[in-house]
């Protein structure tokens, strides 16, 4: 799952959805929908558009790097000293869509990033044991 | 998140120290002399970095005659893996909310 290089690390999460790519694309690119599952934002699906994701613990600065409607979306993800890139890939399947998110660019020793993890991410992982149990690995 | 994490991140934060650790990961056990040859800094500086790596539990040393051999302890990286796992869990929980949203969009 993770790149073992010490320079940069990658987190990958994948899941099958029983929904068509077009619909998932809307959820990934329409601000009021993004807010429903991620964070408040001023996202615009345009190349080089800069936007912000906001939560009670702080905010994430982003810039759209790549956009291919219904197929892939990539943006920078900078928060509390962490510079990373988030890439979404949608692949149509017989039953719906295979969705993959990859986040790259963590550097060991990036104190600010680590602190970001410490104070930001933890708040999202309350139900993580249930999630992991569901994964059944 | 613990002090052990802090020490680990701080220790690997220095690029020279990280390079020494990477060399041990890639090339296996080496003497201080061999590490100095590849590091481009003085032997006392390399020794100091090795001391800090040892404190963090990232390397172990073995004395053989007048030589000290150093080896990477990959198990020390476990907290780092835990951290990336935590990131993965963040996205897993976002996926859960996305799934809920997609279902609501049908209605």
């Amino acid at each position: 799952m993770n790149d073992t290089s010490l320079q940069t690390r990658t987190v990958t999460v994948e899941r099958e959805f029983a929904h068509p790519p077009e619909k998932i694309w809307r959820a990934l690119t329409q601000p009021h929908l993004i807010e429903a599952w991620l964070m408040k934002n001023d996202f615009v699906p345009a190349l080089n558009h800069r936007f912000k994701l906001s939560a009670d613990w702080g905010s994430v600065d982003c810039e759209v790097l790549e956009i291919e409607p219904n197929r892939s979306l990539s943006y920078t993800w900078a928060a509390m000293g962490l510079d990373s890139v988030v890439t979404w890939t949608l692949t149509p399947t017989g039953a719906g869509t295979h969705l993959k998110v990859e986040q790259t660019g963590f550097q060991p020793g990036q104190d600010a990033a680590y602190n970001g993890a410490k104070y930001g991410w933890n708040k999202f992982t309350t139900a993580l044991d249930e999630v992991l149990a569901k994964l059944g690995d | 998140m613990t002090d052990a994490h802090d020490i680990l991140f701080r220790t690997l934060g220095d690029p020279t120290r990280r390079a020494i650790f990477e060399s041990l990961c890639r090339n296996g056990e080496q003497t201080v002399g061999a590490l100095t040859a590849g590091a481009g800094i003085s032997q006392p500086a390399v020794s100091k970095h090795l001391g800090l790596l040892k404190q963090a539990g990232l390397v172990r040393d073995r004395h053989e005659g007048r030589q000290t051999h150093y080896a990477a302890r990959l198990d020390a990286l476990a907290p780092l893996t835990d951290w990336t796992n935590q990131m993965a869990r963040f996205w897993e929980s976002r996926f859960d909310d996305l799934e809920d949203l997609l279902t609501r969009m049908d209605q």
Side-chain angles (χ1 to χ4, degrees), chain A residues 22-38:
Chain A
E22 295 73 18
K23 185 177 168 186
I24 293 176
W25 185 255
R26 280 176 21 226
L28 294 181
T29 56
Q30 293 182 7
H32 70 288
L33 295 176
I34 296 169
E35 187 179 343
W37 65 272
L38 184 58

Side-chain angles (χ1 to χ4, degrees), chain B residues 1 6 8 19-21 23 27 30-31 38 44 49 59 65-66 73 80 83 86 90-91 103 106:
Chain B
M1 297 293 180
D6 284 327
L8 190 63
I20 292 170
F21 180 69
S23 170
N27 309 317
Q30 291 166 75
T31 61
H49 282 305
V59 301
R66 291 177 55 192
R73 291 182 52 187
L80 208 58
W83 181 64
Q86 199 184 19
F90 164 75
W91 289 115
T103 307
D106 281 336

Side-chain angles (χ1 to χ4, degrees), chain A residues 1-2 6-7 9 11 13 15 23 26 33 37 88 103 108-109 114 117 121-122 124 128 131-132, chain B residues 1 5-6 9 22 83-96 99 101-102 105-106:
Chain A
M1 182 186 85
N2 293 322
L6 287 169
Q7 278 305 324
R9 299 180 73 79
V11 169
V13 174
R15 195 180 292 188
K23 185 177 168 186
R26 280 176 21 226
L33 295 176
W37 65 272
W88 298 93
Q103 188 168 12
Y114 167 55
W121 308 114
N122 274 335
F124 289 108
L128 71 88
V131 174
L132 290 175
Chain B
M1 297 293 180
H5 282 73
D6 284 327
F9 276 82
E22 282 190 64
W83 181 64
T84 52
N85 284 346
Q86 199 184 19
M87 288 300 315
R89 289 187 201 121
F90 164 75
W91 289 115
E92 290 285 358
S93 74
R94 299 303 88 216
F95 272 40
D96 288 348
E99 190 130 36
L101 168 71
L102 292 164
M105 282 164 73
D106 281 336

Side-chain angles (χ1 to χ4, degrees), chain A residues 96-109:
Chain A
T97 307
H98 178 90
L99 181 65
K100 177 168 76 169
V101 63
E102 289 167 289
Q103 188 168 12
T104 61
F106 305 107
Q107 286 174 4

Side-chain angles (χ1 to χ4, degrees), chain A residues 24-53:
Chain A
I24 293 176
W25 185 255
R26 280 176 21 226
L28 294 181
T29 56
Q30 293 182 7
H32 70 288
L33 295 176
I34 296 169
E35 187 179 343
W37 65 272
L38 184 58
M39 292 179 223
K40 283 201 176 102
N41 65 94
D42 55 341
F43 182 84
V44 175
L47 206 57
N48 304 326
H49 169 72
R50 289 171 184 272
F51 64 101
K52 221 184 244 294
L53 297 164

Side-chain angles (χ1 to χ4, degrees), chain B residues 1 10 34 37 43 48 53 65 69-70 74 80-81 99 105:
Chain B
M1 297 293 180
R10 260 205 310 277
Q43 182 151 335
K48 196 177 162 187
L53 285 165
H69 298 256
Y70 283 89
L74 293 175
L80 208 58
T81 312
E99 190 130 36
M105 282 164 73

Side-chain angles (χ1 to χ4, degrees), chain A:
Chain A
M1 182 186 85
N2 293 322
D3 176 3
T4 52
S5 151
L6 287 169
Q7 278 305 324
T8 180
R9 299 180 73 79
T10 302
V11 169
T12 306
V13 174
E14 303 177 74
R15 195 180 292 188
E16 304 290 333
F17 288 93
H19 301 275
E22 295 73 18
K23 185 177 168 186
I24 293 176
W25 185 255
R26 280 176 21 226
L28 294 181
T29 56
Q30 293 182 7
H32 70 288
L33 295 176
I34 296 169
E35 187 179 343
W37 65 272
L38 184 58
M39 292 179 223
K40 283 201 176 102
N41 65 94
D42 55 341
F43 182 84
V44 175
L47 206 57
N48 304 326
H49 169 72
R50 289 171 184 272
F51 64 101
K52 221 184 244 294
L53 297 164
S54 317
D56 59 356
W57 50 266
S59 64
V60 183
D61 291 308
C62 307
E63 184 182 343
V64 179
L65 296 176
E66 278 179 53
I67 187 158
E68 193 188 337
N70 306 321
R71 298 291 301 180
S72 69
L73 171 67
S74 183
Y75 42 79
T76 60
W77 176 289
M80 292 163 286
L82 165 66
D83 285 315
S84 64
V85 173
V86 171
T87 303
W88 298 93
T89 309
L90 292 70
T91 310
T93 63
T97 307
H98 178 90
L99 181 65
K100 177 168 76 169
V101 63
E102 289 167 289
Q103 188 168 12
T104 61
F106 305 107
Q107 286 174 4
Q110 219 171 6
D111 277 346
Y114 167 55
N115 289 333
K118 201 148 87 173
Y119 300 115
W121 308 114
N122 274 335
K123 305 199 176 191
F124 289 108
T125 57
T126 36
L128 71 88
D129 286 338
E130 285 166 37
V131 174
L132 290 175
K134 261 197 302 203
L135 290 176
D137 60 357

